[in-house]
Amino acid sequence: MSAETADTAEPTERTTGGADAADRRREQRGWYFYDFACSVYSTSVLTVFLGPYLTSIAKAAADADGFLHPLGIPVRAGSLFAYAVSMSVVVAVVVMPIVGAAADRTGRKKPLLAAAAYVGAAATTGMFFLDGHRYLLGAFLLIVANASISVSMVLYNAYLPQIAEPDERDAVSSRGWAFGYTSGALVLVLNLVLYTGHDSFGLSESDAVRICLASAGVWWGAFTVVPLRRLRDRRVAPGGEGAVGSGWRQLLATLRDMRRHPLTLSFLLAYLVYNDGIQTVISQASVYGSEELGLDQTSLITAVLLVQVLAVAGALGMGRLARVYGAKRTILASLVVWTLILVAGYFLPSDAPVFFYLLASAIGLVLGGSQALSRSLFSHLVPHGKEAEYFSAYEMSDRGLSWLGPLVFGLAYQLTGSYRDAIISLVIFFAVGSVLLARVPVRQAVAAAGNPVPERI
């Protein structure tokens, strides 16, 4: 959990651990590098290469009707990637409270961060061995890597209250986010060079993809050394429950406490629904582009690079809109854009990368802003003194509960055999999320949480 609560941390260790400014800056610089390390997994592996490649392996292993039969269960080959992503999030949901409680109870976040990071990096590096009909190995490695990055991000985020004073956390958090986008774009450029020039390097297309996948794991593991050298653990007060019990009890206690703030809980539910749609669009876009639109990997890499660059500009632009129109209205407007993106995606012609680039540009412009504004809006709805535990629940919503979208996408393809039907099925998440968010009276919710109501919200 990203919770450093008053009953676990010593008074002198509650935020910066008594470190002076120079030591704090040193830890912050190390902290940035974990985003720099792991973001290449999200971009190169999950968003670009693994979906189409694992789908191609699954189709090669499928029967004449296009079905696989793991454990005797009929699974359409094109649904395997979506199902594996959904399963990985379920695994993360189970593991995150246990690991978070262990970190809170012992104060030893760094060994746990190292374990999660290197398990994920090893699984990603192992994707080099995906060839032939090894679709089960691919699904297993995806589940392990994706669950590992979710667990590691909970631990990573839990350092922020310790390494940054309250008035500098926004800036520190933003720099970490920028480091992640920078590494993602840099590695994608290197991937593009290797993939497009694989013949000149004496490699097959499959070899180039497997090297791109494995190199993301090597990058993740190599740059994780920096935060592990610079971050330090803090002492905690003796006592406390076991990790498993306290983790789940803390989460359940937070949810029970939210019942006293039903408007905050209503917003969290709305966020859970529409964020599930956002995460599914991002994770399944490359499969849709390759399998339904017939686009090659070069086009997909270029499209994701557009998303990486425009997400920064989009977040800044939506931030300015929020100052004029309020965060809630701006988020609602972005959800309308997300819905139009899905409708446009349904009608996109095949073998037309220019239209896919336009769609990627639209995604980039609303991606960063819709998520950044959601986080900032939620911060106004948290009662004073409950920040850590409420944001733990928010983190679970953000990272741990986004399993339904991939499942719906996979089932839609399983039942129809059409990726166009699968992509349009995700409209339900944005429609329901918009209705739920529109019904939240945010000014009343802020006041009910005991916080000052901003002029624009």
Side-chain angles (χ1 to χ4, degrees):
M1 295 280 177
S2 56
E4 288 302 319
T5 54
D7 59 339
T8 59
E10 294 182 1
T12 57
E13 302 279 3
R14 193 168 297 167
T15 55
T16 63
D20 59 27
D23 288 342
R24 197 165 67 246
R25 298 289 184 270
R26 185 176 186 275
E27 280 198 275
Q28 289 169 6
R29 288 191 291 269
W31 186 79
Y32 300 149
F33 267 92
Y34 188 68
D35 223 326
F36 191 84
C38 70
S39 289
V40 297
Y41 167 82
S42 300
T43 51
S44 292
V45 177
L46 192 63
T47 306
V48 177
F49 286 107
L50 187 57
Y53 187 66
L54 182 57
T55 301
S56 68
I57 292 175
K59 287 187 172 182
D63 60 22
D65 295 322
F67 281 85
L68 304 164
H69 298 274
L71 303 177
I73 303 171
V75 175
R76 194 181 289 271
S79 296
L80 178 69
F81 177 70
Y83 287 158
V85 171
S86 183
M87 178 59 68
S88 73
V89 181
V90 173
V91 172
V93 167
V94 174
V95 175
M96 279 195 292
I98 300 172
V99 173
D104 285 345
R105 182 173 58 87
T106 65
R108 294 177 58 79
K109 287 190 288 293
K110 190 158 68 170
L112 294 169
L113 175 63
Y118 283 110
V119 167
T124 306
T125 304
M127 293 175 185
F128 179 79
F129 299 101
L130 296 183
D131 57 8
H133 293 174
R134 296 177 177 174
Y135 71 91
L136 283 177
L137 175 63
F140 172 75
L141 293 176
L142 169 58
I143 291 169
V144 172
N146 218 38
S148 295
I149 197 170
S150 295
V151 172
S152 72
M153 288 304 292
V154 170
L155 297 163
Y156 166 75
N157 289 336
Y159 271 103
L160 183 58
Q162 294 181 325
I163 65 173
E165 298 286 2
D167 60 353
E168 61 182 358
R169 286 177 198 165
D170 288 344
V172 171
S173 179
S174 297
R175 290 188 200 110
W177 183 70
F179 264 58
Y181 272 97
T182 300
S183 71
L186 173 61
V187 173
L188 274 181
V189 170
L190 297 176
N191 291 159
L192 183 61
V193 171
L194 177 64
Y195 181 81
T196 56
H198 61 81
D199 287 334
S200 62
F201 292 110
L203 300 170
S204 67
E205 182 177 332
S206 174
D207 290 338
V209 171
R210 291 188 296 117
I211 290 172
C212 289
L213 291 171
S215 65
V218 173
W219 180 286
W220 185 357
F223 283 100
T224 295
V225 172
V226 180
L228 292 180
R229 286 180 64 87
R230 294 198 170 190
L231 293 171
R232 62 187 183 87
D233 286 329
R234 272 75 174 172
R235 294 174 298 158
V236 297
E241 299 178 77
V244 175
S246 62
W248 284 104
R249 286 192 183 101
Q250 181 179 346
L251 178 62
L252 292 174
T254 301
L255 293 176
R256 282 195 297 269
D257 186 73
M258 281 187 179
R259 294 170 60 184
R260 298 192 299 110
H261 302 280
L263 297 180
T264 300
L265 190 58
S266 296
F267 172 81
L268 191 61
L269 177 62
Y271 172 75
L272 169 63
V273 174
Y274 68 73
N275 183 62
D276 201 350
I278 293 173
Q279 297 300 325
T280 306
V281 172
I282 297 305
S283 67
Q284 304 302 320
S286 60
V287 174
Y288 184 73
S290 63
E291 297 296 320
E292 184 65 41
L293 303 182
L295 302 178
D296 57 26
Q297 287 284 3
T298 302
S299 299
L300 295 176
I301 295 171
T302 305
V304 174
L305 277 172
L306 273 175
V307 172
Q308 295 287 108
V309 173
L310 291 175
V312 178
L316 295 175
M318 286 182 63
R320 292 183 177 181
L321 288 174
R323 286 197 293 270
V324 177
Y325 299 104
K328 177 183 173 180
R329 290 182 180 178
T330 306
I331 295 170
L332 285 171
S334 77
L335 298 182
V336 173
V337 175
W338 276 108
T339 303
L340 294 175
I341 286 170
L342 291 177
V343 173
Y346 180 84
F347 291 105
L348 274 187
S350 301
D351 299 312
V354 172
F355 292 105
F356 192 71
Y357 295 157
L358 292 174
L359 208 62
S361 300
I363 289 175
L365 290 174
V366 293
L367 173 62
S370 55
Q371 293 181 313
L373 289 178
S374 296
R375 181 170 60 181
S376 62
L377 180 55
F378 182 71
S379 70
H380 291 286
L381 309 181
V382 177
H384 180 68
K386 300 280 188 179
E387 292 85 1
E389 58 183 278
Y390 272 58
F391 268 103
S392 292
Y394 184 87
E395 181 71 21
M396 287 287 288
S397 299
D398 187 25
R399 290 264 173 188
L401 300 183
S402 297
W403 57 269
L404 186 58
L407 180 61
V408 168
F409 185 93
L411 284 173
Y413 182 78
Q414 171 105 357
L415 295 173
T416 67
S418 168
Y419 281 106
R420 294 186 187 273
D421 291 339
I423 202 72
I424 203 66
S425 70
L426 300 180
V427 167
I428 188 67
F429 291 93
F430 297 104
V432 173
S434 296
V435 171
L436 291 175
L437 178 59
R439 291 171 59 86
V440 178
V442 291
R443 300 185 70 84
Q444 182 181 340
V446 174
N451 296 321
V453 181
E455 182 179 350
R456 292 286 184 185
I457 192 167

